[in-house]
């Protein structure tokens, strides 16, 4: 019988309801209470060991907690009796945590992340279905199921490409789907994109800020980031990787000060590329020392940049492929 560790961190999947306001209280349930209510997978199929790492809404996840979660996951993966790990997590930052773990965990055992859009006691809740599917994937005897993955609404995703695409619908994630889980059977259509960088030893995560470009914005936030304690900056630009033309002097000053500045696109698909020649274009930015974020979205680029700087690795456009 396989043994799966279930690490809980809070989120909607661990919610209860405030009796006065009727609103959900994220992370209220401990892992033991959450899994105690989960009866779908019978004990003769898999043995579960539950550990509550945090009881927080996922908007409270930060870099310190990511490093702590990494150490907790690794403490289970090194055990010979553990076949895989499931992590339950709030959906707001689930894609970021999943991507970080895909970079930082080197074990070939499966690490499966999941969450829910509806609380456990709600009609039509996806909480226990997603837990069931995550455990099924973690216990599957398939080589393509190794490493870090994300499961949601019967779909299996690569952390590099997955995004939360709906605020509340149970079909809340898309991008980078590699397979499905149908009535307890795992079907893999393609392998997950492997993380090129590896940060199994990571003393710290660097402070990295993220700024989104919009029409007519001033360079106020660029200048503020340059004078903060940030070591890196990710800019989510337009289209192929462009920013308002008036931003360039502040961006150049940030680069000249030693800050690592990465440009990404707000578009869901495609990569940044020097297709145009005008002030604030991708070509203009990279000519002034800005680094290409390739096809990574801004939040994932921020995680990767924080890992690269924190580990002392070189940072260039090749790092983001």
């Amino acid at each position: 019988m396989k043994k799966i560790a279930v690490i809980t961190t809070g989120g909607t999947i661990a919610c209860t309801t405030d009796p006065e306001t009727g609103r959900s209280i994220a992370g209220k349930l401990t892992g033991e209470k959450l899994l105690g209510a989960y009866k779908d997978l019978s004990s003769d199929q898999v043995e579960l060991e539950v550990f509550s790492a945090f009881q927080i809404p996922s908007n409270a996840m930060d870099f310190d907690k990511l490093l702590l979660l990494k150490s907790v996951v690794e403490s289970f993966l090194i055990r010979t009796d553990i076949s895989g790990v499931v992590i339950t997590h709030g959906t707001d930052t689930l894609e970021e945590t999943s991507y970080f773990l895909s970079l930082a965990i080197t074990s070939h055992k499966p690490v499966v992340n999941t969450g829910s859009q509806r609380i456990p006691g709600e009609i039509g809740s996806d909480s226990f279905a997603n837990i069931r599917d995550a455990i099924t994937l973690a216990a599957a005897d398939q080589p393509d199921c190794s490493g870090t993955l994300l499961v949601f609404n019967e779909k299996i995703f690569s952390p590099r490409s997955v995004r939360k695409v709906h605020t509340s619908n149970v079909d809340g994630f898309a991008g980078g789907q590699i397979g499905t889980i149908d009535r307890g059977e795992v079907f893999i259509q393609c392998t997950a994109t492997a993380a090129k960088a590896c940060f199994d030893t990571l003393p710290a995560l660097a402070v990295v800020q993220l700024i989104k470009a919009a029409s007519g914005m001033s360079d106020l936030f660029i200048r503020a980031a340059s004078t903060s304690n940030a070591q890196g900056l990710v800019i989510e630009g337009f289209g192929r990787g462009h920013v308002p033309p008036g931003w360039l002097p502040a961006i150049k000053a940030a680069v000249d000060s030693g800050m690592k500045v990465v440009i990404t696109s707000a578009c869901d698909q495609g990569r940044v590329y020097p297709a145009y020649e005008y002030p604030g274009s991708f070509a203009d930015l990279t000519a002034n020392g800005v680094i290409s974020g390739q096809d990574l979205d801004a939040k994932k680029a921020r995680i990767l940049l924080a890992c690269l700087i924190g580990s002392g690795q070189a940072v260039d456009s090749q790092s983001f492929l």
Side-chain angles (χ1 to χ4, degrees):
M1 182 191 303
K2 289 194 173 184
K3 188 172 189 178
I4 302 299
V6 181
I7 301 170
T8 62
T9 67
T12 297
I13 199 168
C15 265
T16 59
T17 302
D18 187 308
E20 295 184 2
T21 66
R23 298 189 183 99
S24 301
I25 308 174
K28 189 71 172 178
L29 296 175
T30 65
E32 290 74 16
K33 287 184 178 179
L34 175 62
L35 271 296
Y38 172 70
K39 305 294 184 183
D40 194 272
L41 212 65
S42 61
S43 59
D44 62 343
Q45 292 176 293
V46 65
E47 181 182 355
L48 303 180
E49 182 172 336
V50 183
F51 180 83
S52 289
F54 314 115
Q55 285 182 248
I56 58 172
S58 67
N59 72 325
M61 183 59 73
D62 56 31
F63 283 178
D64 289 338
K65 292 184 182 69
L66 284 180
L67 289 171
L68 180 55
L69 181 59
K70 172 183 183 290
S71 66
V72 171
V73 173
E74 289 175 331
S75 71
F76 282 100
L77 291 175
I78 62 173
R79 286 173 40 182
T80 57
D81 63 324
I82 295 294
S83 299
V85 169
V86 167
I87 299 166
T88 63
H89 195 289
T91 58
D92 281 354
T93 56
L94 176 57
E95 64 199 79
E96 293 174 75
T97 295
S98 301
Y99 182 59
F100 169 73
L101 293 175
S102 75
L103 296 171
I105 300 293
T106 58
S107 173
H108 291 294
K109 293 179 181 179
V111 177
V112 184
N113 299 267
T114 195
S116 72
Q117 295 278 62
R118 299 175 182 170
I119 71 174
E122 187 176 354
I123 293 175
S125 174
D126 52 338
S127 300
F128 298 122
N130 286 344
I131 291 174
R132 175 200 63 205
D133 290 345
I135 292 170
T136 298
L137 183 61
D141 287 313
Q142 292 196 32
D144 292 335
C145 297
S146 63
T148 303
L149 298 167
L150 189 150
V151 165
F152 217 90
N153 196 36
E154 300 183 344
K155 300 173 184 178
I156 306 167
F157 299 99
S158 166
R160 190 182 194 280
S161 303
V162 69
R163 292 187 182 189
K164 184 175 181 179
V165 295
H166 199 287
T167 59
S168 59
N169 194 282
V170 295
D171 195 21
F173 286 79
Q177 183 177 346
I178 66 165
T180 57
I181 300 174
D182 184 6
R183 294 184 178 272
E185 291 189 68
V186 175
F187 299 91
I188 301 294
Q189 280 81 48
C190 60
T191 57
T193 303
K196 180 180 178 183
C198 176
F199 305 99
D200 53 338
T201 55
L202 186 60
L205 283 164
V207 177
V208 177
Q209 300 297 342
L210 190 160
I211 296 172
K212 182 180 178 69
S215 176
M217 279 182 65
S218 76
D219 64 358
L220 172 65
F221 297 120
I222 304 290
R223 290 184 282 108
S226 299
T227 58
S228 70
N229 64 337
Q231 298 163 271
L233 172 64
V234 173
I235 300 172
E236 184 180 274
F238 311 120
R240 282 291 217 173
H242 312 138
V243 299
W247 283 21
L248 190 62
I251 291 173
K252 188 176 187 306
V255 172
D256 291 344
S257 73
M259 178 178 282
K260 302 297 184 183
V261 180
V262 174
I263 182 69
T264 66
S265 175
C267 297
D268 287 344
Q269 299 181 45
R271 62 181 176 130
V272 290
Y273 187 80
Y276 300 91
E277 190 67 63
Y278 48 72
S281 68
F282 178 87
D284 192 23
L285 293 171
T286 54
N288 285 279
V290 175
I291 299 161
S292 169
Q294 307 291 352
D295 64 340
L296 271 182
D297 70 53
K299 290 189 287 187
K300 306 281 179 61
R302 176 175 174 262
I303 293 289
L304 179 52
L305 183 58
C307 290
L308 287 165
I309 297 173
S311 63
Q313 295 188 32
V315 183
D316 58 30
S317 297
Q318 294 298 307
S319 307
F320 291 84
L321 287 171

